[in-house]
């Protein structure tokens, strides 16, 4: 079972990571100015992760595949790590779709 972890970064911004059942981070957010905004971002991930059209598949300058999850307004609400192959990236997309809707939310230090 996946989970969202909320933490505060060095700049005082709130960020979340979506972790798969094995503890691997599969999606990360940008910094939010408040915990409420961060929690709204999590709800947006839960909602938008079920539509494949919201996943934007990209390649980094070095050719590494990665993806962004976008809200219906086009704003990026989460991004993945860099993957070694397109099939590994697609597994990451599938993992977000599977884990996000029912993931618990917890705050970590």
């Amino acid at each position: 079972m996946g989970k969202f972890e909320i933490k505060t970064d060095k700049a005082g911004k709130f960020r979340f990571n979506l972790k798969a059942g094995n503890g691997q981070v599969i999606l990360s957010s940008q910094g939010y100015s408040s915990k409420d905004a961060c929690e709204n971002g999590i709800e947006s991930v839960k909602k938008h992760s079920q539509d494949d059209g919201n996943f934007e598949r990209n390649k980094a300058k070095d050719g590494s595949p990665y993806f962004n999850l976008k809200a219906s307004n086009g704003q990026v609400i989460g991004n993945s790590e860099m993957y070694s192959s397109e099939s590994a990236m697609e597994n990451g997309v599938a993992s977000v779709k599977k884990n996000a809707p029912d993931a618990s939310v917890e705050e970590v230090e």
Side-chain angles (χ1 to χ4, degrees), residues 17-101:
N17 286 319
L18 172 59
K19 292 188 170 184
N22 64 4
Q24 183 176 6
V25 174
I26 50 178
L27 194 72
S28 299
S29 75
Q30 80 270 13
Y32 292 94
S33 56
S34 71
K35 187 176 173 191
D36 281 348
C38 188
E39 289 171 341
N40 287 342
I42 289 171
E43 289 306 311
S44 188
V45 168
K46 289 183 175 195
K47 175 181 166 190
H48 292 93
S49 63
Q50 298 311 291
D51 181 349
D52 192 69
N54 292 326
F55 287 89
E56 177 185 72
R57 291 149 170 96
N58 296 308
K59 281 193 190 302
K61 287 181 180 154
D62 70 359
S64 299
Y66 70 98
F67 64 85
N68 292 323
L69 176 61
K70 291 188 164 189
S72 45
N73 65 4
Q75 183 176 0
V76 173
I77 48 179
N79 47 34
S80 74
E81 64 181 1
M82 298 295 165
Y83 290 95
S84 57
S85 67
E86 289 198 21
S87 64
M89 177 190 66
E90 291 300 333
N91 287 342
V93 169
S95 187
V96 171
K97 289 178 183 176
K98 177 181 158 210
N99 285 285

